[in-house]
Amino acid sequence: MNNNYLFTSESVSEGHPDKMCDQISDAILDACFKQDKFSRVACETAVGGQHGEGFAMVFGEITTNASIDYTNIIKETIRNIGYTKEEYGYTPENIKILNYIGKQSQDIKAGVDNSLETRASDESSQEGAGDQGMMFGYACDETEEKMPLAITLAHELLIKLRDSRRSGEIDYLRPDSKSQVTLEYNDKHEVCRVDTVLISTQHDDGVSNEQMEKDLYEKIISEIIPSNLLDNDTKIIVNPSGRFVIGGPVGDAGLTGRKIIVDTYGGAAKHGGGAFSGKDPTKVDRSAAYAARHIAKNILETKIASKAEVQLSYAIGKAEPVSIMVNTFGTGKVKDSVIESAVKKVFDLRPSSIISRLELRNPIYQQTATYGHFGRNDLNLPWERTELAKDLEKAF
C-alpha cells in the first residue's frame, strides 16, 4: 500500500502588495533604530488604489527620539522594489502618502518598562513582554539551512525570478509574483520527488504564455529545482490565469502581516498567529519567534533530533515565559521533556535577554521582510547561529 502524501508551500515576491507593506513597515523600524535603539515601534502599512491614483498609508504607534521622514522612506522602498514605470499604474511619484502614526499607549509602556516580576520584588529592572501570545520556532534536517524543503524552493524560485528581472535577463517581468512548490513524501517522511511547480508572475502586455513557460522553465525552474526530484509526472504551471499584466497595489490591496506562513516555515510547523514586520523586539510576536527558531536550530545542531518544534508563550508585562514546549515528533534520542529541561537551563527567555543575546536593537529588519525570516544563509541573522549547541549537550 502506498502511503505517500503531498505537501505544498508558497512564497510571494517583494512586489506583492502585502510584502510591499511588510518592507515599508520594517524600513521605518530600521530608520528608528539607526537613530534611537530604544524606539518602540508598532507600524502598520496599507497600499492600494486604482491605476494612477494609488496610496500608501502608515498607521500605528511609534515612540522614538528619532527624526523620521516617513514620506521619503515609503517612496524609496517602493522605488527599490521596482515600481518605477508609469505603465505599472503605481509609482512613488503618482501615489498619495497618508500618515496616521501615534505614540505607544502609556499603559503598555509601563508594563514593558518594568515587568510584573520587577514590580513584585526588589529585582533589578527587567522588561516585560509587550503582549500576550504564543510563538513557534522550527528546524528540520531537510535542507542545509535546517528548513523545510518546500518553502526553501519556493523562496529560491522567486529570488532567481527577481534577479532575472533586475538584470534584464527576462526583460518583460514586473515586480509582483508568486510561487508554489508541492513535494511528495514517502511513509518515512522523506522527500521523493517534486510533484508540482507553480509560478505566477506579472509581465508586460503582449508577452505570450508560451514564451513565459519556455523562459521560466529554462532560466528559473531548471536552475533551482534539483533535477533528481523532477520526473515525467512533475507538473510545471506558469500563469494559470493566462494573463497577469495588472498587479501590485493596483491589482490587489496590501496590508502588513498577511503573509505570516510565507515568513516562517511554509505551513510545515505551527504558527502562533502574530506577524513580525513593523514591530520592535519588545513585541514577543517577533523576538520570541526568533528565539524559538534559535532554540530549535541549536537542538538540531546537537544531533539529538532531526526535527524540533519549540513553543513559547507570554503574558503582557511579565518577563518570564508562561510556558515552554519542545516537540521532536518522535525523532529525539531522549525524551522531549529532557530536551525541554535543558532548554530552560541554557536559554534565558525573558524579552530583555532575548533582545541582548540576539542583538535585536539593530536596523536589520527590512532585509527579512521578503523571502523568509528563517534559513537565510544569504543574511547574517543572529537567530540562525548555533553557538549554544554545546551548552545544550552538557545540559542533556
Side-chain angles (χ1 to χ4, degrees), residues 11-15 145 151-167 169-170 173 175 177-179 199 201 219-221 223-224 262 367-379:
S11 181
V12 299
S13 73
E14 71 263 43
E145 300 86 354
I151 188 66
T152 299
L153 292 176
H155 286 324
E156 288 178 353
L157 286 168
L158 291 189
I159 291 171
K160 181 68 174 173
L161 194 73
R162 174 202 66 191
D163 293 345
S164 295
R165 170 174 61 86
R166 290 180 177 179
S167 70
E169 181 186 19
I170 306 179
L173 295 175
S177 58
K178 293 183 176 184
S179 67
I199 298 179
T201 182
K219 299 175 182 179
I220 308 296
I221 296 170
E223 294 288 320
I224 297 300
V262 171
Q367 62 184 347
T368 68
T370 49
Y371 311 116
H373 292 244
F374 307 118
R376 297 293 300 276
N377 286 352
D378 57 323
L379 306 176

Side-chain angles (χ1 to χ4, degrees), residues 328-382:
T328 62
F329 304 92
T331 69
K333 296 176 182 176
V334 300
K335 290 182 178 179
D336 288 349
S337 58
V338 174
I339 301 175
E340 210 169 273
S341 296
V343 166
K344 291 175 183 177
K345 291 177 184 176
V346 173
F347 292 88
D348 186 342
L349 293 169
R350 294 174 297 177
S352 289
S353 299
I354 293 171
I355 290 168
S356 176
R357 182 171 66 252
L358 299 182
E359 305 159 22
L360 298 182
R361 293 196 188 278
N362 288 305
I364 59 173
Y365 296 105
Q366 187 180 359
Q367 62 184 347
T368 68
T370 49
Y371 311 116
H373 292 244
F374 307 118
R376 297 293 300 276
N377 286 352
D378 57 323
L379 306 176
N380 185 27
L381 299 174

Side-chain angles (χ1 to χ4, degrees), residues 178-345:
K178 293 183 176 184
S179 67
Q180 194 166 281
V181 175
T182 301
L183 303 178
E184 183 176 335
Y185 286 78
N186 62 24
D187 56 5
K188 295 179 181 177
H189 308 295
E190 300 166 333
V191 177
C192 303
R193 55 184 290 275
V194 171
D195 181 80
T196 306
V197 178
L198 166 62
I199 298 179
S200 292
T201 182
Q202 188 185 14
H203 57 87
D204 289 345
D205 203 0
V207 181
S208 70
N209 240 41
E210 291 75 20
Q211 182 67 49
M212 281 191 289
E213 287 174 2
K214 180 179 181 296
D215 289 343
L216 265 60
Y217 183 80
E218 292 178 357
K219 299 175 182 179
I220 308 296
I221 296 170
S222 65
E223 294 288 320
I224 297 300
I225 305 297
S227 58
N228 64 306
L229 295 180
L230 294 171
D231 58 32
N232 292 334
D233 294 323
T234 299
K235 296 175 280 295
I236 306 295
I237 305 172
V238 174
N239 279 19
S241 67
R243 176 182 164 87
F244 189 1
V245 173
I246 300 170
V250 174
D252 193 7
L255 191 63
T256 305
R258 289 207 296 198
K259 288 292 177 283
I260 56 178
I261 299 301
V262 171
D263 285 341
T264 54
Y265 308 102
K270 299 183 187 72
H271 196 289
F276 303 154
S277 290
K279 297 177 181 177
D280 76 82
T282 65
K283 282 74 171 174
V284 283
D285 277 342
R286 180 165 224 158
S287 54
Y290 292 167
R293 163 67 176 176
H294 188 220
I295 295 167
K297 198 169 179 189
N298 275 270
I299 290 172
L300 255 69
E301 185 69 14
T302 69
K303 311 298 184 185
I304 201 80
S306 60
K307 188 184 294 186
E309 183 179 76
V310 177
Q311 186 200 50
L312 307 175
S313 69
Y314 290 83
I316 188 169
K318 189 176 185 300
E320 293 286 351
V322 173
S323 68
I324 301 171
M325 181 277 291
V326 174
N327 182 4
T328 62
F329 304 92
T331 69
K333 296 176 182 176
V334 300
K335 290 182 178 179
D336 288 349
S337 58
V338 174
I339 301 175
E340 210 169 273
S341 296
V343 166
K344 291 175 183 177
K345 291 177 184 176

Side-chain angles (χ1 to χ4, degrees), residues 137-149:
Y138 181 74
C140 65
D141 63 1
E142 283 186 11
T143 65
E144 177 189 346
E145 300 86 354
K146 299 297 184 282
M147 287 288 288
L149 181 60

Side-chain angles (χ1 to χ4, degrees), residues 17-250:
D18 292 333
K19 273 288 144 211
M20 293 175 66
C21 294
D22 288 345
Q23 290 167 89
I24 291 169
S25 291
D26 274 340
I28 289 169
L29 173 61
D30 281 354
C32 290
F33 273 162
K34 284 176 183 176
Q35 299 177 50
D36 178 4
K37 288 182 178 295
F38 294 92
S39 299
R40 294 281 171 79
V41 179
C43 179
E44 309 291 344
T45 303
V47 298
Q50 302 300 311
H51 194 283
E53 298 179 356
F55 72 88
M57 177 173 67
V58 289
F59 54 105
E61 301 80 43
I62 296 180
T63 302
T64 183
N65 292 320
S67 177
I68 303 300
D69 185 342
Y70 292 99
T71 296
N72 185 60
I73 291 171
I74 292 166
K75 289 188 173 185
E76 191 64 20
T77 303
I78 293 167
R79 187 175 294 111
N80 289 338
I81 289 168
Y83 286 100
T84 56
K85 298 180 180 179
E86 286 298 321
E87 56 262 37
Y88 296 170
Y90 189 98
T91 70
E93 288 71 36
N94 69 14
I95 61 170
K96 183 182 293 184
I97 306 292
L98 305 170
N99 183 348
Y100 296 103
I101 297 289
K103 291 192 174 183
Q104 185 181 46
S105 155
Q106 288 300 309
D107 290 348
I108 294 175
K109 183 179 185 299
V112 174
D113 288 346
N114 291 289
S115 68
L116 176 64
E117 293 90 336
T118 301
R119 285 175 272 133
S121 69
D122 294 327
E123 286 186 25
S124 59
S125 180
Q126 178 74 219
E127 285 185 333
D131 203 351
Q132 71 174 50
M134 66 281 191
M135 301 82 209
F136 289 91
Y138 181 74
C140 65
D141 63 1
E142 283 186 11
T143 65
E144 177 189 346
E145 300 86 354
K146 299 297 184 282
M147 287 288 288
L149 181 60
I151 188 66
T152 299
L153 292 176
H155 286 324
E156 288 178 353
L157 286 168
L158 291 189
I159 291 171
K160 181 68 174 173
L161 194 73
R162 174 202 66 191
D163 293 345
S164 295
R165 170 174 61 86
R166 290 180 177 179
S167 70
E169 181 186 19
I170 306 179
D171 59 7
Y172 53 77
L173 295 175
R174 293 184 178 184
D176 193 358
S177 58
K178 293 183 176 184
S179 67
Q180 194 166 281
V181 175
T182 301
L183 303 178
E184 183 176 335
Y185 286 78
N186 62 24
D187 56 5
K188 295 179 181 177
H189 308 295
E190 300 166 333
V191 177
C192 303
R193 55 184 290 275
V194 171
D195 181 80
T196 306
V197 178
L198 166 62
I199 298 179
S200 292
T201 182
Q202 188 185 14
H203 57 87
D204 289 345
D205 203 0
V207 181
S208 70
N209 240 41
E210 291 75 20
Q211 182 67 49
M212 281 191 289
E213 287 174 2
K214 180 179 181 296
D215 289 343
L216 265 60
Y217 183 80
E218 292 178 357
K219 299 175 182 179
I220 308 296
I221 296 170
S222 65
E223 294 288 320
I224 297 300
I225 305 297
S227 58
N228 64 306
L229 295 180
L230 294 171
D231 58 32
N232 292 334
D233 294 323
T234 299
K235 296 175 280 295
I236 306 295
I237 305 172
V238 174
N239 279 19
S241 67
R243 176 182 164 87
F244 189 1
V245 173
I246 300 170
V250 174

Side-chain angles (χ1 to χ4, degrees), residues 369-394:
T370 49
Y371 311 116
H373 292 244
F374 307 118
R376 297 293 300 276
N377 286 352
D378 57 323
L379 306 176
N380 185 27
L381 299 174
W383 51 89
E384 294 296 314
R385 298 189 300 232
T386 55
E387 79 285 8
L388 294 177
K390 289 183 179 179
D391 292 335
L392 267 181
E393 286 178 345
K394 292 176 184 176

